[in-house]
Amino acid sequence: MLFNQCEKSSTQNTRIAILTLWRKFDCLMFTETWLSAEISNGLLDPENKYTLIRCDRGTGKGGGVCVFVRKHLRVLTVNLCAPSTLELICFDVHGTNRRCRFFVAYCPPASSSIYRHSNYCQASYMKDILKHIERNCDISEPTYVLGDFNSPDFQLSHKPKLGQGKILYDFCIENSFLEC
């Protein structure tokens, strides 16, 4: 499994495609992909080795979340009934005896144009993403939350007093998540 935040450059699509070709990862997860409908799945996975799950940003530049799961794995996308403005993917990977649930999220920084095109501010955006994760957690099976929450002050070892870090910290403690 590989989780990677793409850098803000014109080469991220090439970078994603290269990783699918030369790495032998079963699951690749990316945030801040900058993908749009103009970029086909075939361009990202030219050898058709992966099931792709995408959440491209609808307006403006940047953002986006994308997951590649190797086709030999049984994967099901989970419909979160979340607003399309949220950059959040949920999927299950089914093994022989167990299922693992994954959430991949991107919370844009406060300066993002996404907040000008929606009714969100950074704190309410994060709270909404975490609300959808919490509603769809299944404590009977392993659950993993990966993402870029743009919360540089977040650490489970130290409780932040306010801001994004506190919101994320409280979520992790209330739902018994561990930081890896």
Side-chain angles (χ1 to χ4, degrees):
M1 178 171 18
L2 170 75
F3 171 76
N4 188 4
Q5 177 186 349
C6 297
E7 296 175 13
K8 298 174 188 170
S9 72
S10 60
T11 61
Q12 58 266 54
N13 298 337
T14 305
R15 183 178 184 190
I16 291 170
I18 289 170
L19 283 169
T20 65
L21 293 171
W22 67 272
R23 296 285 187 178
K24 300 210 185 309
F25 294 106
D26 286 332
C27 189
L28 299 114
M29 295 167 257
F30 299 95
T31 60
E32 210 169 343
T33 61
W34 287 49
L35 296 175
S36 68
E38 297 167 2
I39 309 293
S40 71
N41 288 351
L43 183 62
L44 299 172
D45 180 20
E47 293 185 3
N48 200 27
K49 292 181 178 183
Y50 294 89
T51 299
L52 271 70
I53 308 167
R54 293 170 56 167
C55 180
D56 301 341
R57 182 171 291 173
T59 59
K61 287 184 182 179
V65 181
C66 185
V67 173
F68 295 70
V69 181
R70 197 163 299 269
K71 289 201 174 185
H72 74 271
L73 295 172
R74 200 174 93 193
V75 62
L76 295 172
T77 303
V78 177
N79 183 354
L80 300 175
C81 298
S84 61
T85 51
L86 293 183
E87 296 171 32
L88 175 64
I89 289 175
C90 180
F91 64 98
D92 294 335
V93 176
H94 293 263
T96 51
N97 297 327
R98 139 168 285 186
R99 170 187 58 83
C100 293
R101 175 153 291 178
F102 292 87
F103 294 91
V104 184
Y106 177 64
C107 289
S111 61
S112 174
S113 65
I114 195 168
Y115 303 121
R116 290 190 293 273
H117 301 292
S118 70
N119 294 325
Y120 285 110
C121 67
Q122 189 179 24
S124 64
Y125 190 94
M126 179 180 280
K127 287 177 184 176
D128 209 13
I129 279 188
L130 297 177
K131 175 181 74 175
H132 283 87
I133 292 172
E134 189 171 43
R135 284 184 184 164
N136 291 279
C137 281
D138 181 356
I139 60 170
S140 66
E141 299 286 350
T143 301
Y144 302 90
V145 178
L146 301 102
D148 177 0
F149 292 92
N150 273 299
S151 182
D153 58 339
F154 172 75
Q155 288 182 347
L156 269 179
S157 57
H158 305 319
K159 181 177 182 175
K161 294 182 180 176
L162 42 93
Q164 300 294 99
K166 182 180 183 324
I167 295 168
L168 193 53
Y169 177 90
D170 291 345
F171 167 81
C172 291
I173 296 300
E174 290 167 12
N175 292 283
S176 302
F177 278 106
L178 304 172
E179 183 180 19
C180 299

